[in-house]
Amino acid sequence: MEILSLNQISPDQVILWQWGIIRITATLMYTWFIMALLVMGSWLVTRRLSSDVRTTRWQGVLEVVVSTIRNQIKEINPEDPGHYLAFIGSLFLFVGLSNVLLIVPGYVAPTSSLTTTAALAVCVFIAVPLYGITKQGILSYFKEYFQPTFIFFPFHVMGEVTRTLALAVRLFGNMMSHDKVIAILLAVTPLFFPIVMHALGLLIGLVQAYIFAILAMVYIASATQAHEEKTEK
Amino acid sequence: MDSLTFIAMASIITAGLTMAIGSIGPALGEGRATQQALSAIAQQPDERGSITRTLFVSLAMIESIAIYCFVISMILIFANPFWDHVITKG
């Protein structure tokens, strides 16, 4: 089943249902599908948690996932990872699941649309000053923008905007290019090579999800840690 | 030559050139990064985990430069705004 043809570079162009100005695109449908999958899965598992020695199999899976994310956050930011776990963890799980599900036929990753990745990057763009201000206070956070002199203010702002853009285009470009490469390979050499590329695509998808989450964490850490280093000196 | 043909020709040639020139830099950069990481692992095998993690992150960041070129060439070929503009006008 081919939902996305070769000359459509974004699943936004696939309109499944339209009523007036309200339209449901393939991106929207699969985004809600993944969110429903994540929420329902977590709800089903956490419904009966037990701290007993004998736990259910799925609780073990979820514990491994959560503790891995906590450890990764802790390696970047040595303080308590609990503050960042919800944000970074849901970014990673959403991007990772939507990339891994590519092996399901008829599925189009919502991350291969620029709108989804831009929305995720804007979330990071908003979260960085939020975490920074709650950690340092509003004055000392904005003082960072004028370091070392006030001439550097536009460069700091430009850096924030361009790294948000890079975050969005990186994920979109990787997933979209993977889609296109497989579509072209299917036309040229069917059967064997597309399977190998799909296997590579699983790796690429997980690495991209990891990078998205890690970069978000690095940006947050740079906003929250600048103050601590100064007080330690 | 009418403008439609000219836009098509310019877009296709530019898309090819974008990919060709734009992948030179990231290829050299990734090669250098991998080479440095390999020699670092050879010198300090204990630090393999953190070196590999940093290598993956930096490789993906370098690769995103080539990906930007790819996005530009895809836009030029499949979603060209000038092409659409001329077609709707004509």
Side-chain angles (χ1 to χ4, degrees):
Chain A
M1 190 165 76
E2 187 78 13
I3 284 189
L4 199 65
S5 60
L6 185 60
N7 55 1
Q8 291 173 317
I9 62 170
S10 158
D12 293 348
Q13 292 160 333
V14 183
I15 293 168
L16 301 172
W17 181 81
Q18 188 163 15
W19 181 70
I21 54 165
I22 304 168
R23 55 172 69 158
I24 293 187
T25 59
T27 316
L28 202 59
M29 190 185 81
Y30 286 117
T31 308
W32 279 95
F33 171 69
I34 286 174
M35 291 198 295
L37 205 64
L38 281 175
V39 170
M40 286 304 289
S42 310
W43 180 72
L44 280 179
V45 175
T46 53
R47 205 170 37 147
R48 38 184 156 159
L49 289 178
S50 66
S51 54
D52 205 3
V53 179
R54 290 181 59 83
T55 56
T56 57
R57 200 174 294 176
W58 288 101
Q59 186 184 343
V61 173
L62 218 61
E63 279 177 4
V64 168
V65 169
V66 171
S67 63
T68 310
I69 298 174
R70 280 182 78 98
N71 283 336
Q72 293 290 333
I73 294 176
K74 203 176 246 170
E75 281 182 23
I76 299 173
N77 201 351
E79 53 187 298
D80 175 35
H83 299 295
Y84 313 108
L85 182 67
F87 182 60
I88 303 294
S90 36
L91 273 183
F92 174 75
L93 286 180
F94 177 76
V95 178
L97 190 68
S98 69
N99 291 352
V100 162
L101 279 183
L102 267 179
I103 49 171
V104 178
Y107 171 84
V108 182
T111 43
S112 62
S113 135
L114 189 55
T115 49
T116 312
T117 59
L120 293 176
V122 166
C123 288
V124 177
F125 180 73
I126 295 172
V128 168
L130 275 186
Y131 278 116
I133 288 173
T134 50
K135 187 82 189 172
Q136 308 188 11
I138 193 157
L139 270 179
S140 69
Y141 175 75
F142 281 108
K143 209 188 270 173
E144 291 294 321
Y145 281 93
F146 297 97
Q147 298 294 335
T149 57
F150 69 94
I151 306 171
F152 280 77
F153 176 70
F155 298 108
H156 281 292
V157 173
M158 217 188 293
E160 297 240 328
V161 173
T162 50
R163 78 187 183 193
T164 306
L165 186 72
L167 209 57
V169 178
R170 177 179 306 122
L171 185 58
F172 159 70
N174 270 290
M175 298 325 291
M176 188 267 288
S177 67
H178 182 69
D179 271 8
K180 291 303 155 228
V181 165
I182 285 186
I184 292 170
L185 274 182
L186 270 179
V188 180
T189 57
L191 200 60
F192 181 66
F193 262 112
I195 298 176
V196 179
M197 283 306 290
H198 257 306
L200 184 65
L202 288 182
L203 178 71
I204 292 177
L206 276 181
V207 168
Q208 287 303 321
Y210 175 74
I211 283 166
F212 197 93
I214 285 290
L215 280 180
M217 192 56 227
V218 167
Y219 297 155
I220 291 173
S222 75
T224 54
Q225 274 178 345
H227 187 59
E228 286 170 18
E229 285 168 10
K230 239 181 290 169
T231 49
E232 277 169 15
K233 276 174 193 169
Chain B
M1 200 159 30
D2 63 332
S3 58
L4 209 56
T5 322
F6 192 71
I7 289 176
M9 197 180 73
S11 312
I12 293 170
I13 293 177
T14 317
L17 279 180
T18 311
M19 268 327 285
I21 301 172
S23 49
I24 294 175
L28 290 176
E30 287 197 6
R32 269 195 65 81
T34 315
Q35 173 203 357
Q36 293 287 342
L38 281 181
S39 58
I41 290 178
Q43 283 170 3
Q44 291 173 304
D46 295 343
E47 292 295 312
R48 136 173 276 155
S50 72
I51 292 174
T52 316
R53 199 181 61 240
T54 322
L55 176 70
F56 264 115
V57 174
S58 47
L59 276 191
M61 293 191 73
I62 299 168
E63 196 175 79
S64 63
I65 299 169
I67 295 285
Y68 299 154
C69 296
F70 183 79
V71 170
I72 296 285
S73 61
M74 276 286 139
I75 287 173
L76 278 179
I77 293 178
F78 290 127
N80 197 326
F82 308 109
W83 178 267
D84 294 342
H85 174 71
V86 172
I87 283 184
T88 49
K89 205 176 65 178

